[in-house]
Amino acid sequence: MTPPLRDPAHRVSRRAITLWVLQALVGFVVLVGLSSLAASWIAGSGRRFLPDWLTGHIWWVPVALAVVELPFIVIEPLWRYAVHRWELSEDVVYARSGWFSRKWVFVPVSRIQTVDKEQGWFERMLGLATLEIRTASHAGSSSIEGLDVTVAARLAEDLAHRAHQLRDDAT
């Protein structure tokens, strides 16, 4: 029997919870807002392209969406924080992410081609960054989201330095 994978050593920043809450709130506002606009349009139009039972209760659609989505605004960020971890060993970057499905990524440092530190609006506001690690693999790039900006900068520098030292000609 194969032993289970151990957790990577480091958690992402606790501020990642706030980042994921903000991202979920934006999705919530867009989803409920668009469904409210659609409900308003359907209720205000004299057209009868929907059944009467639905047209008469069209405002239940955005309410139902809001009720279904609200728990995810709280649960998803906490769950993701419990799962998202990363570790840098001498020759491998190891990361775990996900919340419904789990993703374990092992990136050999010698195969790294570029390391990019990215920040969206919310990340800049919270002092966080996402580290993008690109290789020549068919799988593309790997990322570690929710890192403190100073940790991401140091990790990017360490990875670039180690990748240069471990570079081989197999790419």
Side-chain angles (χ1 to χ4, degrees):
M1 184 161 113
T2 307
L5 291 174
R6 68 172 177 77
D7 291 341
H10 308 288
R11 286 189 183 271
V12 297
S13 171
R14 279 195 68 79
R15 291 186 312 268
I17 296 170
T18 305
L19 171 68
W20 294 324
V21 166
L22 288 172
Q23 290 172 340
L25 279 172
V26 167
F28 174 82
V29 167
V30 168
L31 181 68
V32 173
L34 288 176
S35 66
S36 295
L37 283 173
S40 175
W41 178 76
I42 291 169
S45 72
R47 301 183 198 149
R48 295 290 178 199
F49 55 89
L50 293 174
D52 287 340
W53 63 268
L54 181 58
T55 306
H57 298 92
I58 199 65
W59 287 104
W60 283 104
V61 173
V63 170
L65 285 171
V67 167
V68 168
E69 278 292 311
L70 272 175
F72 287 102
I73 293 172
V74 175
I75 294 168
E76 178 196 2
L78 295 172
W79 198 330
R80 286 177 73 178
Y81 179 73
V83 172
H84 284 221
R85 292 174 167 270
W86 66 275
E87 183 176 336
L88 173 60
S89 70
E90 288 299 316
D91 58 348
V92 173
V93 179
Y94 174 33
R96 185 182 69 189
S97 62
W99 72 291
F100 269 134
S101 60
R102 301 282 163 85
K103 180 179 178 181
W104 284 264
V105 177
F106 298 89
V107 180
V109 174
S110 63
R111 302 290 185 190
I112 293 174
Q113 291 186 329
T114 62
V115 180
D116 299 318
K117 184 183 72 151
E118 299 176 352
Q119 285 184 295
W121 290 359
F122 291 142
E123 287 174 312
R124 278 196 310 270
M125 186 174 69
L126 296 168
L128 297 173
T130 297
L131 199 68
E132 288 285 334
I133 304 165
R134 290 182 174 80
T135 66
S137 166
H138 74 283
S141 64
S142 301
S143 62
I144 304 172
E145 185 180 354
L147 294 174
D148 182 89
V149 72
T150 56
V151 171
R154 188 181 67 237
L155 184 56
E157 188 177 317
D158 287 351
L159 282 172
H161 182 70
R162 287 186 192 185
H164 179 70
Q165 289 178 332
L166 295 174
R167 180 86 51 218
D168 65 14
D169 293 335
T171 56

